Amino acid sequence: MINPRFERREGEKFLYEAPEASRPIVQLKKYWPNVDEKPRKVKALFEKLVQGMEEKEIKSDTAVLIEHIIHLLEYSFEEEIQQIHNEIKTVSVAGVEKEEIDHMFADLLVSTGTNCTFTYLKKLIKEKKIQGSTVIDVLGALPFRMQVDKISGVMLQEMSELCMDESVSASPFVERACWLSFGTFVHKACVHRPRAEWDQVEAGQNSPKTQGTSRASQQSRQSSPRQSGARDQPEFENRLCPADVRQTIVQKVTEKLKSFAEDDEKKILIIKVLGNMGLEETIDELAAIAVDMTEPIYIRTQAIYAMRIMGLKYQSEEVLEVLLPLYRESKNPTQIRIAAFLTIMSSKPDLPLLEDIAQSLNREVDLDVASYVYSSLSSVANSTDPCLQNLTRDARIALQFATPLNVEFRHSKSIQKGTFLPHMKSGIFWEQNTIMDKDAPAPRAANLRVHANVNMKSFDIVEFGFETEGLGEAARKFLGNFTTENLAEVISGRAARRPRAAGQMPVESINEIDQLLNLKPQEPKEIRGSAYMKIFGQETRFVVINPQTVSRFIVDLISQQESVIPKLMSGEGLKVDNRRVGMLMDSKLEFPTILGVPIGFTVRLPIVTGMKGLVKASMTPKPEGGLAFFKQMPQQVALEMKVKSNIAAELHAKLSVYIGFLRVGTGCRTKLSLNMPLDGKVDFSLADRSTKVTMNLPESPVKLVKMAYYPVTFVTRHSKNSVTYQPKNIPQGLEGQRRTGKAGQTEQDSSSEEQSRQTGQAKTDRALMLDIDEVETELLTKTGHVSFPKWFNGLPVTIPDLWEIATPAFIKSQDVNFQIGHDSMAAKLEVECEHEYPNTRLSPLYLPVVGAKSRLEVKLTPKAGAKKVTVAIFERNEFAVQSEQELLNKLKDKVEGITIKNLEKPSVPTNYEKMPKMGRSLQVLINAEGGDAVSAWTTRGLLAYLYSVDGRYVKFVGAMDSKVPVLAKKICFNGELRYPDRTGLWFTTPQEALNKSIQGQAELFWGDDLTAEKQIKLRLRYQKSSEQTQVEKFDLYDVNGIPVPLEVASEVREGEALFTSLYKQCEEDRKIGAPFSKECVDLAIRYSDLLRLKFDVDYKNVSPYMRKVLHKLEAVAKGVYHWNTEVEDVEVKNPENKISAVIEYSADRSYVDIKYQTPTQNVTINNIDLPMDVQPASALFPWSPARLVGLQDQPSCTISGPKINTFDDVSDFMPLSQCYHVMVKDATDDNLFAVLVANAAKNSLAKKVLIMFEGHKIEFVPKTEGAAPAVQPNQPIDVKSLYVVKYNGQVLADALTPEKRTTIPPNTPQDKQELADVMLIKPETSGNKNEIIGFYSRVTGLKVLFDGSSVTVMPSPLWKSNVVGLCGKYDGQTWDEKLLPNKTLVAEPIAFSRAFQLNTKGCDAEIDRIPLQKGQKKTLRQQ
């Protein structure tokens, strides 16, 4: 007789009723006679678990033990847990440290998730029985394992007391973990309570949405249309966590926040705790921090992000009320506005608000905000997440009100991707947010969030992120202060720069610029920030970065003997022993039925992980101890490891129902085990620029991956000797009834799962009386019987009899077996896949394959006798003015004798052998015997490219020799690209650009002797497309980045101002002597784009297998683009063994057309949409220094004639005088450099330049002092003959000698690095008609290029937002280019030029007039 519980549904409310009991019924000796044996049983199971984890390959059966241990712990009182722990302390397994055993048992207690285990863990923490990482792991996982119905107000009180206990507060990391865990506990208790535990309250009464909130918030809610409609709906009050309790909790935490007014680290902790709580009562406190202008930015953003969970949960109007003003106010910092927008989007705003945000982008001045918002709305508009379908629809509508924005990588952006499978009703999505730092080249903040959607329910899985301040400042000081004495201060950003040289030029000379212009240095920024990790939307770990924590970390890491690095560098090495066990998933659901018998659904995923081994490191020369560790740079670093990593898990998903003593159901089981042995050594050599990896092979095959999935039908029979609980109202005589089993059947004692559920409390007793005889069924035969008891042989454990009948494998099956490698190689990977499924299945639109079974096994098999495999990679970067062969010999010094074939008909420039060349190469050596001699290497490879410095010729070389029989003995690849000759920006016209093209060819040979029997020849040409040629022929007009021909532009009279002729604008600039203006640079780049690729392929003796693969790929492409494809395959007779193709991009790069010919068909595929932006080929050689003159990706500033193009790509007139003007200057208090520019004479295009750096002065001035060279607006200046270079006032006679580099020596003998170089760059390199002068400072990262009338400055990206001058702030924004240091916005170019003018004695301070053409006068009037 069994009396299962049942649940009855009344309306929308579930009644959960069970008999009253003072303790779990299974604990009573009356119902569990051998309950006293529980400690010994748990010990036996635990010992078996530890032993299983010590085996060579952990089996998934080991993970199943976790489920049985937790089942026993789940119904244990605190005194019993103490007894069990005492037994566990006696467990000893060879090779397992005592600390790891304690950690594993703590993991099991956490996974149990009962009130008793919580109390016991709290006791262990207070008594310091567990410490360090164990406590952090326990506190981080504890709230996720606690079931919601077991969290009570008493538990919350005990958790807060624990966090304030001395045992926790002594360690900042433990304290963080505890308070974050407390916030998650509050969230689960007060937010995630089942609706059955909420009482309905009348409208207007205090409720979770009104009590404890501000009066303004309540008034806003009453006036809000969204909320006014909601007032008619019934409201509920959480009776286990009422409003007064929530308010008390929030008040306690906020009082603690106020006590940390001067401690940013703990202030961030409390903010994150409030965010974890997710209570609306916290919004006022978080809002006060978010709007507080005195708080650091990274703390304000933390408060804004903490409100995100409120937006996700409640879609609260209070969140919008706080955040909308922060976003809309353009004076707020970029980080604050982006954080506010991100949190607003989490509340799923309505369409009117989205339209307002989209329209505001049309007038947005902050490019980072505009870029982020537009990319976020675009991502949401393309989302397939069904939970965002309304937001997706609204975002698509809202984007119609915004001007399309070309989002660049140097600006902030948001990317959301993912896939939803309708037939599976599930999907996985990820979101990446990047906020760029105006002060540094690296992002200021970034995060990656992964979330899933299952059955139309969305939930977060994991999220990582960081946020920083002052990173650029710290990097700049670190590069200039690399000394061991102040290492910690430098990295933290607090150290001042080391002094510069004195005597050559006083430092005050740069400071004098500040005095003359009344410039105040920017306030130095200390490095600050934080990094965090979220699990299921709750923060579990975070670290705070500030000068104190950085300094402490550096000192502890290097100087303490017990730290990681000293142990790693010792001869014994660093021992690695890390084992974790737990229930990754344990969900139980019950659904009521009309019969009163509930249907149960359970998902359990026990998992074990282990990592054990030894890691050693060594350096040459051997470093000193303490902070002297950084005294010298090591030349060689070796890392040796012997570590075994294992993961084993077993997923059980079951749907079942109780029938008497039987539990019948169906489900699936997945077994998984991963085994990854790492035994080898890695050597890094800085001197030889090489990396060598040596892996020791195992003696026998190793199964790296084992996975088995199969559905099961199961019957669990509980022993009829077990006494089930009977309610008090059951008639006398029924309680002791037992039924006798049939002959031959075994009856075992069992602590059944049904008995374990009899733990609830209710006011009434309800039970369903069933008296069911055992039925005879084929399910109870021995067919498919899985004998689980054999795993527990010798253990005092009783378990139920279990029959599992795997779904039959019939009708259809599929095997996929393949291997990577060959028997002749040192090792090979063997992959075996097996998939079986029945002939009949349900529609895949709703369910996956029913009855499917799968098996996967990946095995590493070493060759007999092979001991190790060594892979050595050598990198080379060489420069030479000799022949190509001499340069190639330097690039292949480690693979001498490797076979290289030359092209049959090379197309090299006339004087190529005499041209200076550069080359890079990778040399790869693979050996399976273990010897280091060249003759012992079984495979050698070379990949290299060489190019002339002028950028007109590029050559690619590839070769391989192998002794492995399965590989070709020799492979040789050779190719070339011939770039067109350039005329320079002085003379670029549409007519000259029409015939530009890149020509190339490549040849591939393989075989024993590299004959012509096996080969592939490729000839290619990058050209202008026909559409592009027609556009450029009639001049080029630009509309939002899309070229439009003149006849099209002229038809639109109303919007004529939208159409701009790049060529006409450039011609006007050239006439006034500005050939390097922004318009001319854009013209050269646009005219150099090549949108058509044409190639021919000739082949011989290609294997049938490769032909088959290519044929299948072609068939797939035709199928995908069926309606776009035209095929001509009737009576087609094209040349044999040849393929010709033409690929042509549209002018806006949005789609592509492909035409190709094979021996048997002609195919045309039109209008293929491109999923991403495509960068076309450019006739400008991308590696050439020619791109340094206004044609490079790195931001630069150029003054060309009377025009300027700033760092942030803003073009304007900038007239100068004969007095020096500050073009760009270090805006920090270090005053490291300044670049000054002036006209050489009145109304002259010729200029002079003064560069100040590190106490030195470099001048580019005309030979005749006070007289400017005669200059024509449309002709370049011969700087070689008309200018001189001065160093600290003295002329450097040889500075402008071709092929000679003049260096500026270091300030002190201790400094080995030269400070700067001055050189003359040749015409073929610069793209000009004459040479230009180049300057490069290694210390400051500053580059300057000068051709007599144009000056280009390129500072290091580390100087972002830390410069001042005519070139702007270098912060990625365009609105502040005319913003003076005193925050005054100047519109007139002359006034702005005068603001940075140095009025010194002996110079004419009158600023030249602006020479305007007709069109430019009109443009200037419009401005």
Side-chain angles (χ1 to χ4, degrees):
M1 178 69 65
I2 187 169
N3 297 279
R5 284 179 317 177
F6 72 100
E7 295 176 337
R8 187 176 65 181
R9 185 169 184 172
E10 295 181 358
E12 295 297 324
K13 187 177 181 182
F14 286 97
L15 296 178
Y16 184 88
E17 300 172 354
E20 292 183 358
S22 59
R23 58 189 303 185
I25 193 64
V26 294
Q27 295 292 97
L28 300 178
K29 206 170 185 64
K30 177 179 179 182
Y31 302 111
W32 191 355
N34 56 352
V35 68
D36 295 335
E37 299 295 323
K38 185 189 297 184
R40 195 162 61 92
K41 295 177 182 180
V42 174
K43 175 190 173 182
L45 287 171
F46 184 80
E47 193 169 15
K48 196 84 171 181
L49 173 65
V50 178
Q51 291 173 352
M53 294 186 64
E54 190 61 17
E55 294 180 358
K56 184 178 180 181
E57 295 181 9
I58 302 179
K59 301 177 181 178
S60 61
D61 295 336
T62 303
V64 179
L65 293 170
I66 297 174
E67 186 174 351
H68 292 280
I69 295 175
I70 290 177
H71 182 71
L72 294 173
L73 291 173
E74 189 175 4
Y75 299 103
S76 299
F77 289 105
E78 186 177 349
E79 57 269 20
E80 288 182 304
I81 297 176
Q82 178 67 64
Q83 297 173 8
I84 293 172
H85 195 189
N86 293 335
E87 293 285 341
I88 296 297
K89 292 178 181 179
T90 63
V91 173
S92 177
V93 177
V96 183
E97 299 290 339
K98 185 66 171 61
E99 292 78 6
E100 289 302 315
I101 292 178
D102 293 339
H103 202 153
M104 291 168 61
F105 183 68
D107 290 340
L108 292 173
L109 292 177
V110 171
S111 298
T112 303
T114 64
N115 294 339
C116 295
T117 55
F118 169 81
T119 305
Y120 189 72
L121 284 170
K122 183 188 69 174
K123 175 184 176 183
L124 293 179
I125 295 173
K126 284 189 173 183
E127 296 177 356
K128 298 184 179 181
K129 298 293 182 60
I130 54 175
Q131 299 182 9
S133 61
T134 304
V135 180
I136 296 175
D137 292 341
V138 165
L139 292 173
L142 190 57
F144 298 103
R145 297 303 310 153
M146 291 294 299
Q147 298 181 12
V148 177
D149 58 348
K150 296 180 180 178
I151 301 177
S152 61
V154 176
M155 182 179 292
L156 296 179
Q157 179 65 27
E158 292 178 351
M159 192 67 189
S160 63
E161 293 175 356
L162 175 64
C163 295
M164 290 184 286
D165 190 83
E166 184 274 334
S167 60
V168 171
S169 59
S171 171
F173 296 102
V174 176
E175 185 180 33
R176 292 176 198 168
C178 188
W179 280 109
L180 292 175
S181 179
F182 171 73
T184 305
F185 268 114
V186 174
H187 182 79
K188 294 188 70 173
C190 300
V191 178
H192 278 178
R193 281 287 184 184
R195 181 63 67 180
E197 299 178 0
W198 291 56
D199 292 332
Q200 183 174 339
V201 297
E202 296 181 2
Q205 291 184 358
N206 287 343
S207 68
K209 295 184 178 181
T210 57
Q211 187 167 352
T213 58
S214 64
R215 182 182 302 272
S217 300
Q218 296 182 27
Q219 293 175 352
S220 171
R221 183 177 290 109
Q222 293 173 1
S223 61
S224 170
R226 173 188 285 182
Q227 293 295 333
S228 61
R231 286 199 302 268
D232 299 331
Q233 302 296 328
E235 296 187 0
F236 293 89
E237 173 68 87
N238 187 341
R239 62 171 177 261
L240 297 180
C241 189
D244 56 342
V245 173
R246 298 197 302 274
Q247 192 66 29
T248 301
I249 294 174
V250 174
Q251 183 178 359
K252 180 185 297 185
V253 176
T254 53
E255 288 177 355
K256 194 170 183 64
L257 173 65
K258 295 176 182 179
S259 66
F260 297 145
E262 304 300 327
D263 192 335
D264 290 352
E265 188 171 351
K266 291 190 175 182
K267 186 181 296 184
I268 291 178
L269 169 61
I270 301 302
I271 291 174
K272 291 181 179 292
V273 173
L274 294 175
N276 271 6
M277 290 180 180
L279 302 176
E280 284 191 292
E281 286 81 2
T282 64
I283 293 180
D284 286 346
E285 296 295 337
L286 294 174
I289 301 173
V291 300
D292 190 351
M293 302 293 290
T294 62
E295 292 284 0
I297 294 178
Y298 80 107
I299 291 183
R300 295 176 63 192
T301 57
Q302 294 295 331
I304 295 174
Y305 288 134
M307 287 187 276
R308 185 176 185 182
I309 194 170
M310 274 73 81
L312 288 168
K313 185 67 181 176
Y314 306 108
Q315 300 183 14
S316 174
E317 288 291 338
E318 293 181 33
V319 175
L320 297 180
E321 178 187 349
V322 174
L323 298 181
L324 276 176
L326 289 177
Y327 167 73
R328 287 170 171 163
E329 179 54 62
S330 59
K331 295 182 180 180
N332 283 329
T334 301
Q335 302 88 332
I336 298 295
R337 299 184 63 196
I338 291 179
F341 172 79
L342 179 61
T343 308
I344 289 172
M345 290 299 292
S346 68
S347 66
K348 299 179 182 179
D350 293 334
L351 178 59
L353 180 55
L354 288 178
E355 290 178 347
D356 180 69
I357 292 175
Q359 287 179 340
S360 68
L361 295 180
N362 301 326
R363 55 184 182 273
E364 180 60 61
V365 296
D366 192 324
L367 293 182
D368 273 302
V369 173
S371 172
Y372 183 89
V373 174
Y374 187 83
S375 61
S376 177
L377 291 176
S378 300
S379 296
V380 172
N382 294 308
S383 175
T384 58
D385 189 346
C387 289
L388 299 179
Q389 58 183 357
N390 292 335
L391 186 62
T392 297
R393 178 201 60 210
D394 294 345
R396 290 174 181 172
I397 299 174
L399 282 174
Q400 299 177 9
F401 296 88
T403 302
L405 182 66
N406 182 19
V407 179
E408 300 179 359
F409 284 100
R410 62 175 177 170
H411 293 297
S412 306
K413 62 167 46 180
S414 174
I415 301 175
Q416 300 180 36
K417 300 289 184 180
T419 302
F420 184 80
L421 303 176
H423 63 281
M424 297 287 292
K425 293 188 176 180
S426 61
I428 189 76
F429 304 89
W430 60 271
E431 175 185 347
Q432 177 186 342
N433 298 295
T434 305
I435 303 176
M436 300 306 296
D437 194 342
K438 297 178 182 179
D439 300 338
R444 182 191 188 279
N447 77 306
L448 176 65
R449 170 174 165 255
V450 179
H451 63 285
N453 186 295
V454 178
N455 198 24
M456 306 300 289
K457 299 293 183 182
S458 183
F459 58 91
D460 287 354
I461 299 176
V462 66
E463 181 178 344
F464 302 92
F466 69 89
E467 184 171 6
T468 61
E469 274 186 10
L471 191 61
E473 183 89 6
R476 285 189 298 275
K477 291 187 175 182
F478 177 76
L479 294 177
N481 293 268
F482 196 76
T483 58
T484 59
E485 290 77 8
N486 61 348
L487 178 65
E489 288 75 12
V490 169
I491 295 180
S492 65
R494 296 183 299 172
R497 289 189 57 91
R498 59 187 178 191
R500 293 179 288 274
Q504 294 179 338
M505 179 179 179
V507 176
E508 287 75 19
S509 295
I510 298 183
N511 292 337
E512 186 179 350
I513 298 175
D514 295 340
Q515 298 173 3
L516 291 174
L517 301 181
N518 195 23
L519 299 178
K520 296 182 180 180
Q522 295 182 1
E523 292 293 331
K525 299 178 181 179
E526 293 183 339
I527 183 171
R528 297 179 183 276
S530 64
Y532 69 89
M533 179 180 71
K534 287 186 177 182
I535 303 294
F536 301 124
Q538 298 289 303
E539 289 205 28
T540 58
R541 304 285 174 86
F542 80 94
V543 295
V544 175
I545 305 170
N546 56 39
Q548 292 75 26
T549 59
V550 172
S551 302
R552 184 171 62 242
F553 174 76
I554 293 295
V555 173
D556 293 348
L557 184 65
I558 302 300
S559 60
Q560 292 187 6
Q561 294 299 320
E562 295 301 320
S563 188
V564 173
I565 288 185
K567 289 183 178 180
L568 192 64
M569 302 298 295
S570 65
E572 297 180 358
L574 178 66
K575 292 184 179 180
V576 178
D577 192 355
N578 194 343
R579 306 159 198 264
R580 296 293 178 269
V581 299
M583 293 290 288
L584 195 60
M585 186 182 300
D586 187 6
S587 300
K588 302 176 183 178
L589 298 174
E590 286 191 345
F591 307 95
T593 66
I594 194 171
L595 296 178
V597 181
I599 296 178
F601 176 71
T602 60
V603 178
R604 291 177 178 174
L605 179 58
I607 184 171
V608 296
T609 63
M611 179 180 292
K612 183 178 181 180
L614 189 67
V615 181
K616 297 180 181 180
S618 61
M619 294 184 181
T620 305
K622 187 175 181 180
E624 301 180 20
L627 292 177
F629 181 87
F630 290 100
K631 194 171 185 179
Q632 58 183 344
M633 183 66 67
Q635 296 300 306
Q636 187 171 356
V637 179
L639 184 64
E640 186 176 355
M641 64 185 71
K642 188 173 184 180
V643 179
K644 182 186 70 171
S645 301
N646 294 280
I647 299 176
E650 189 161 315
L651 174 65
H652 301 167
K654 300 177 181 179
L655 189 67
S656 60
V657 63
Y658 278 95
I659 303 176
F661 280 94
L662 302 178
R663 186 160 63 101
V664 183
T666 184
C668 65
R669 173 164 288 145
T670 302
K671 297 183 177 183
L672 175 67
S673 63
L674 305 177
N675 180 28
M676 185 60 64
L678 297 177
D679 186 2
K681 185 178 181 181
V682 181
D683 291 283
F684 301 96
S685 176
L686 299 180
D688 200 24
R689 289 177 294 175
S690 65
T691 301
K692 182 181 291 187
V693 180
T694 301
M695 295 301 297
N696 298 320
L697 297 175
E699 297 180 356
S700 58
V702 178
K703 294 181 180 179
L704 303 180
V705 180
K706 290 174 61 178
M707 191 275 290
Y709 164 84
Y710 55 93
V712 295
T713 304
F714 67 91
V715 176
T716 304
R717 187 191 69 170
H718 295 278
S719 172
K720 288 176 290 184
N721 289 334
S722 300
V723 180
T724 58
Y725 176 76
Q726 303 296 333
K728 296 178 181 179
N729 58 356
I730 294 179
Q732 293 294 327
L734 293 179
E735 180 178 356
Q737 287 187 5
R738 299 181 181 179
R739 293 193 171 271
T740 305
K742 296 187 178 182
Q745 292 184 346
T746 304
E747 297 181 352
Q748 299 178 346
D749 292 336
S750 171
S751 58
S752 68
E753 185 175 348
E754 175 56 39
Q755 294 171 333
S756 68
R757 299 178 184 233
Q758 309 290 339
T759 58
Q761 294 184 357
K763 298 179 180 179
T764 60
D765 298 330
R766 297 173 183 264
L768 176 66
M769 302 291 295
L770 288 179
D771 186 2
I772 300 176
D773 293 328
E774 288 188 39
V775 296
E776 294 185 3
T777 171
E778 294 181 358
L779 296 178
L780 299 181
T781 63
K782 294 184 178 180
T783 304
H785 180 207
V786 180
S787 181
F788 274 84
K790 70 179 182 181
W791 179 250
F792 305 100
N793 287 340
L795 300 180
V797 179
T798 58
I799 66 170
D801 269 347
L802 181 65
W803 284 267
E804 280 194 357
I805 297 86
T807 303
F810 58 92
I811 306 300
K812 292 178 183 267
S813 64
Q814 183 178 1
D815 296 339
V816 179
N817 301 323
F818 62 92
Q819 69 178 26
I820 302 175
H822 193 263
D823 294 337
S824 60
M825 294 182 175
K828 62 181 180 180
L829 279 178
E830 297 177 286
V831 181
E832 296 182 7
C833 302
E834 181 181 353
H835 185 71
E836 300 176 352
Y837 48 93
N839 188 35
T840 305
R841 62 179 182 175
L842 297 179
S843 171
L845 295 177
Y846 303 100
L847 292 174
V849 177
V850 175
K853 295 196 292 186
S854 301
R855 182 181 65 86
L856 171 66
E857 186 173 291
V858 181
K859 182 170 62 175
L860 175 65
T861 304
K863 181 182 178 182
K867 299 297 183 183
K868 62 181 179 180
V869 174
T870 303
V871 178
I873 302 175
F874 299 86
E875 184 269 337
R876 295 291 181 263
N877 187 1
E878 301 291 344
F879 171 81
V881 293
Q882 299 91 355
S883 66
E884 177 187 285
Q885 187 60 46
E886 291 174 318
L887 177 60
L888 189 58
N889 290 338
K890 296 180 180 179
L891 298 177
K892 63 182 185 69
D893 59 319
K894 296 297 181 181
V895 290
E896 295 179 358
I898 197 169
T899 305
I900 297 177
K901 287 177 67 74
N902 292 323
L903 291 167
E904 293 183 1
K905 296 180 180 180
S907 177
V908 296
T910 305
N911 298 323
Y912 174 65
E913 287 296 318
K914 297 181 180 180
M915 294 179 181
K917 307 172 192 64
M918 298 188 70
R920 293 185 176 182
S921 71
L922 288 178
Q923 303 170 76
V924 181
L925 306 177
I926 304 175
N927 189 354
E929 280 75 28
D932 291 333
V934 175
S935 59
W937 294 97
T938 57
T939 302
R940 304 185 302 162
L942 169 69
L943 182 62
Y945 67 86
L946 306 80
Y947 59 92
S948 59
V949 176
D950 65 356
R952 287 181 290 171
Y953 185 73
V954 188
K955 186 171 184 178
F956 301 91
V957 177
M960 188 186 77
D961 290 348
S962 179
K963 296 181 181 180
V964 180
V966 70
L967 300 177
K969 288 187 177 180
K970 296 181 180 180
I971 298 177
C972 181
F973 169 79
N974 215 328
E976 66 177 4
L977 288 176
R978 177 71 184 271
Y979 283 77
D981 296 337
R982 293 184 303 274
T983 57
L985 295 183
W986 287 94
F987 310 102
T988 300
T989 64
Q991 289 71 27
E992 290 187 358
L994 290 179
N995 297 323
K996 285 186 176 182
S997 64
I998 303 173
Q999 302 180 27
Q1001 59 177 326
E1003 296 176 356
L1004 176 65
F1005 297 86
W1006 69 96
D1008 295 340
D1009 54 1
L1010 296 183
T1011 61
E1013 295 180 357
K1014 296 181 178 181
Q1015 66 176 16
I1016 295 177
K1017 290 186 178 181
L1018 168 68
R1019 291 181 298 277
L1020 61 86
R1021 180 188 293 267
Y1022 285 101
Q1023 302 171 323
K1024 301 268 186 178
S1025 67
S1026 57
E1027 178 186 1
Q1028 190 179 10
T1029 303
Q1030 287 296 111
V1031 169
E1032 295 178 357
K1033 184 178 180 181
F1034 298 101
D1035 200 357
L1036 185 66
Y1037 283 72
D1038 187 80
V1039 180
N1040 294 329
I1042 303 175
V1044 177
L1046 173 63
E1047 56 268 25
V1048 176
S1050 60
E1051 294 178 0
V1052 186
R1053 296 299 181 185
E1054 182 178 354
E1056 186 177 359
L1058 296 175
F1059 298 90
T1060 305
S1061 171
L1062 294 179
Y1063 174 62
K1064 288 183 178 179
Q1065 283 195 331
C1066 179
E1067 279 295 285
E1068 292 174 352
D1069 290 341
R1070 287 174 180 167
K1071 292 177 182 179
I1072 62 174
F1076 291 97
S1077 67
K1078 180 180 185 299
E1079 289 74 14
C1080 290
V1081 171
D1082 291 343
L1083 175 72
I1085 294 176
R1086 178 61 58 82
Y1087 279 9
S1088 299
D1089 288 345
L1090 306 176
L1091 302 181
R1092 188 171 188 261
L1093 171 61
K1094 180 180 180 180
F1095 63 87
D1096 301 310
V1097 180
D1098 295 320
Y1099 55 89
K1100 290 183 180 180
N1101 298 326
V1102 176
S1103 67
Y1105 177 79
M1106 183 58 66
R1107 290 171 182 257
K1108 185 177 180 180
V1109 171
L1110 294 176
H1111 177 73
K1112 286 188 175 183
L1113 292 176
E1114 180 192 20
V1116 170
K1118 289 180 182 178
V1120 173
Y1121 300 103
H1122 173 74
W1123 299 107
N1124 306 59
T1125 304
E1126 296 180 4
V1127 180
E1128 181 185 351
D1129 55 2
V1130 179
E1131 296 183 358
V1132 175
K1133 296 181 180 180
N1134 293 328
E1136 292 292 331
N1137 298 327
K1138 183 176 181 178
I1139 298 175
S1140 300
V1142 176
I1143 302 175
E1144 189 168 314
Y1145 295 99
S1146 63
D1148 58 356
R1149 287 85 160 169
S1150 62
Y1151 62 90
V1152 64
D1153 297 338
I1154 300 177
K1155 298 179 181 180
Y1156 65 91
Q1157 297 176 350
T1158 68
T1160 59
Q1161 60 180 348
N1162 300 327
V1163 181
T1164 301
I1165 307 178
N1166 293 319
N1167 298 335
I1168 300 177
D1169 292 329
L1170 296 175
M1172 61 188 69
D1173 295 334
V1174 176
Q1175 186 68 26
S1178 175
L1180 293 172
F1181 181 51
W1183 300 316
S1184 170
R1187 296 181 70 84
L1188 297 181
V1189 190
L1191 299 178
Q1192 74 294 327
D1193 295 331
Q1194 178 181 339
S1196 63
C1197 175
T1198 298
I1199 293 182
S1200 182
K1203 298 196 71 174
I1204 187 174
N1205 188 38
T1206 66
F1207 293 124
D1208 298 320
D1209 210 24
V1210 174
S1211 178
D1212 201 352
F1213 290 95
M1214 192 56 60
L1216 303 175
S1217 68
Q1218 297 181 59
C1219 293
Y1220 277 115
H1221 298 251
V1222 178
M1223 187 174 178
V1224 60
K1225 175 190 171 297
D1226 175 10
T1228 68
D1229 56 356
D1230 294 326
N1231 274 333
L1232 291 182
F1233 70 89
V1235 179
L1236 313 180
V1237 62
N1239 286 339
K1242 188 174 182 60
N1243 295 325
S1244 172
L1245 296 177
K1247 295 179 174 56
K1248 56 184 179 180
V1249 178
L1250 171 61
I1251 306 171
M1252 297 180 177
F1253 67 101
E1254 288 284 331
H1256 303 270
K1257 179 172 66 172
I1258 292 288
E1259 296 175 271
F1260 304 148
V1261 296
K1263 280 187 175 180
T1264 304
E1265 187 173 353
V1271 180
Q1272 298 296 326
N1274 58 350
Q1275 292 294 329
I1277 299 175
D1278 185 5
V1279 294
K1280 178 181 176 182
S1281 58
L1282 299 178
Y1283 274 77
V1284 295
V1285 177
K1286 291 184 178 181
Y1287 172 57
N1288 291 338
Q1290 302 296 321
V1291 176
L1292 296 177
D1294 299 332
L1296 300 182
T1297 302
E1299 301 180 3
K1300 180 179 176 61
R1301 185 184 66 171
T1302 302
T1303 61
I1304 306 302
N1307 288 329
T1308 61
Q1310 294 82 1
D1311 298 329
K1312 298 181 181 180
Q1313 189 179 43
E1314 297 168 344
L1315 294 181
D1317 294 333
V1318 179
M1319 68 199 77
L1320 193 67
I1321 300 177
K1322 291 186 175 182
E1324 60 268 19
T1325 302
S1326 66
N1328 288 357
K1329 289 295 184 182
N1330 295 331
E1331 295 91 343
I1332 63 176
I1333 305 174
F1335 168 87
Y1336 174 53
S1337 171
R1338 293 179 177 84
V1339 177
T1340 61
L1342 181 69
K1343 297 177 184 177
V1344 180
L1345 299 173
F1346 178 62
D1347 72 349
S1349 64
S1350 300
V1351 186
T1352 297
V1353 178
M1354 291 169 288
S1356 164
L1358 294 175
W1359 289 105
K1360 290 182 64 177
S1361 288
N1362 282 276
V1363 295
V1364 67
L1366 300 177
C1367 289
K1369 299 180 65 176
Y1370 190 15
D1371 59 356
Q1373 305 298 320
T1374 58
W1375 66 273
D1376 59 356
E1377 294 300 83
K1378 296 290 185 68
L1379 190 67
L1380 297 178
N1382 62 2
K1383 307 302 181 182
T1384 302
L1385 192 62
V1386 178
E1388 291 295 330
I1390 294 179
F1392 189 71
S1393 177
R1394 186 176 290 114
F1396 289 97
Q1397 183 185 53
L1398 302 179
N1399 293 322
T1400 56
K1401 294 182 180 179
C1403 71
D1404 186 356
E1406 182 181 355
I1407 296 178
D1408 293 347
R1409 62 180 180 85
I1410 301 176
L1412 299 177
Q1413 304 296 317
K1414 292 182 179 180
Q1416 293 173 329
K1417 291 179 181 178
K1418 179 181 178 181
T1419 303
L1420 190 61
R1421 285 196 299 270
Q1422 292 174 350
Q1423 294 177 352

